[in-house]
Amino acid sequence: MRSTYKWGKIREKIRKRDNYLCQICLRDEKYNCEKIEVHHIIRISDSIQLAFEPSNLITLCSFHHHMADKNEIPVWVLEEIVSEQEQKKSVFMNSFV
């Protein structure tokens, strides 16, 4: 699935939404754009329906991605960050209406 055209498109959309920065590093006021990956908050094996859902995707550096995969970063923290990103995007888009 991760080698599909659809995944490539959504992955780029999420990177753009998150300004190509690790969202955990950003919380610590560090602007890390090195080794940025898109992480599934709820694993694909747990919910295939969320595989391409923007609200289930977040950009993380490889270090934080590994931590998230090991559940060392709580799911609720990642979901909260994504919710904030989606709200910012919505406010930005609505400012052009």
Side-chain angles (χ1 to χ4, degrees):
M1 182 197 70
R2 292 185 179 159
S3 62
T4 65
Y5 175 79
K6 185 175 180 181
W7 173 247
K9 294 295 279 186
I10 192 68
R11 182 180 63 213
E12 183 57 26
K13 180 179 177 181
I14 298 307
R15 287 178 183 202
K16 188 173 184 179
R17 179 198 68 196
D18 292 351
N19 296 310
Y20 301 91
L21 297 169
C22 172
Q23 297 302 296
I24 298 298
C25 289
L26 193 57
R27 290 288 165 132
D28 294 329
E29 297 182 2
K30 296 176 185 169
Y31 294 89
N32 182 3
C33 60
E34 300 292 319
K35 299 181 182 177
I36 298 301
E37 303 170 351
V38 176
H39 172 68
H40 288 88
I41 298 170
I42 304 300
R43 291 183 172 105
I44 296 169
S45 60
D46 293 335
S47 179
I48 191 70
Q49 297 85 355
L50 296 176
F52 298 102
E53 177 59 43
S55 64
N56 189 48
L57 301 168
I58 187 170
T59 55
L60 302 174
C61 64
S62 59
F63 176 76
H64 286 120
H65 193 174
H66 182 70
M67 287 180 67
D69 282 342
K70 292 176 26 180
N71 296 317
E72 293 175 0
I73 301 172
V75 167
W76 70 266
V77 169
L78 300 172
E79 290 175 334
E80 185 176 277
I81 293 169
V82 169
S83 177
E84 290 172 9
Q85 288 299 89
E86 289 290 318
Q87 286 176 345
K88 286 179 192 175
K89 178 182 166 191
S90 177
V91 168
F92 177 76
M93 295 306 289
N94 287 334
S95 67
F96 291 104
V97 177

